[in-house]
Amino acid sequence: LLTTNGFVQWPPYVPPYIAILGGGDPEGYTNPDEIIASDMPWAVAWYADRESLWLPDKMDAFMDMHDYNRLNGPIVGIYLTPITGDARFFSEIVKGEYMQWSSFIMRNVNTQNFPFPARTVLPIDYECIFYADRDRWSHKAE
């Protein structure tokens, strides 16, 4: 647990909310054989116990890995945090390293023709978002 004097290091770390990305159905959003891309892959790997890909700066590189199963497992989602979301708007988001992902970071993207059409925001302050291949969070009561 990343704490200083008993406090969670927010942003970007809130271990329980990162952990929900893992856990397997019905407890979490993904299964052990599934991969999550993120701007914070080390935290996904540690707290969610999932393989995590550092989100490539080029969307073509990401799509190649996704479409051709380059990682020997399905990439099922993208987890974005304040690491990219709190960047300076024009110089770092629109023109910066992740400019091809700017509409995802700003949450104004049409995901209809993207492999991850479903999305949900996560607490705290709804500053983290998870784009997924399907709704993985609205579990049916059994």
Side-chain angles (χ1 to χ4, degrees):
L1 182 63
L2 293 174
T3 61
T4 302
N5 301 326
F7 297 103
V8 172
Q9 296 299 301
W10 175 255
Y13 300 99
V14 180
Y17 295 121
I18 300 169
I20 199 168
L21 298 173
D25 288 334
E27 298 88 24
Y29 294 173
T30 63
N31 294 311
D33 62 332
E34 297 174 324
I35 300 167
I36 300 169
S38 179
D39 58 2
M40 191 170 70
W42 57 90
V44 172
W46 184 260
Y47 295 114
D49 194 24
R50 292 294 177 265
E51 286 188 52
S52 188
L53 164 70
W54 199 319
L55 187 66
D57 58 347
K58 304 289 186 239
M59 196 173 293
D60 287 347
F62 175 80
M63 294 305 297
D64 180 72
M65 285 184 262
H66 175 272
D67 293 348
Y68 297 104
N69 194 27
R70 303 275 190 218
L71 302 177
N72 297 316
I75 303 171
V76 299
I78 298 173
Y79 175 62
L80 298 176
T81 72
I83 289 176
T84 52
D86 283 351
R88 285 180 280 167
F89 176 70
F90 197 74
S91 64
E92 295 178 9
I93 296 175
V94 175
K95 292 177 66 177
E97 175 184 6
Y98 288 110
M99 67 182 175
Q100 291 187 1
W101 297 100
S102 62
S103 57
F104 287 84
I105 294 166
M106 300 306 299
R107 302 178 188 176
N108 64 355
V109 64
N110 179 348
T111 56
Q112 291 290 335
N113 295 318
F114 192 71
F116 309 132
R119 65 180 137 190
T120 189
V121 292
L122 290 96
I124 294 177
D125 298 330
Y126 303 105
E127 291 190 38
C128 298
I129 189 165
F130 185 59
Y131 294 92
D133 57 347
R134 59 182 166 81
D135 178 339
R136 293 169 166 267
W137 38 87
S138 299
H139 302 292
K140 297 177 184 174
E142 298 191 32

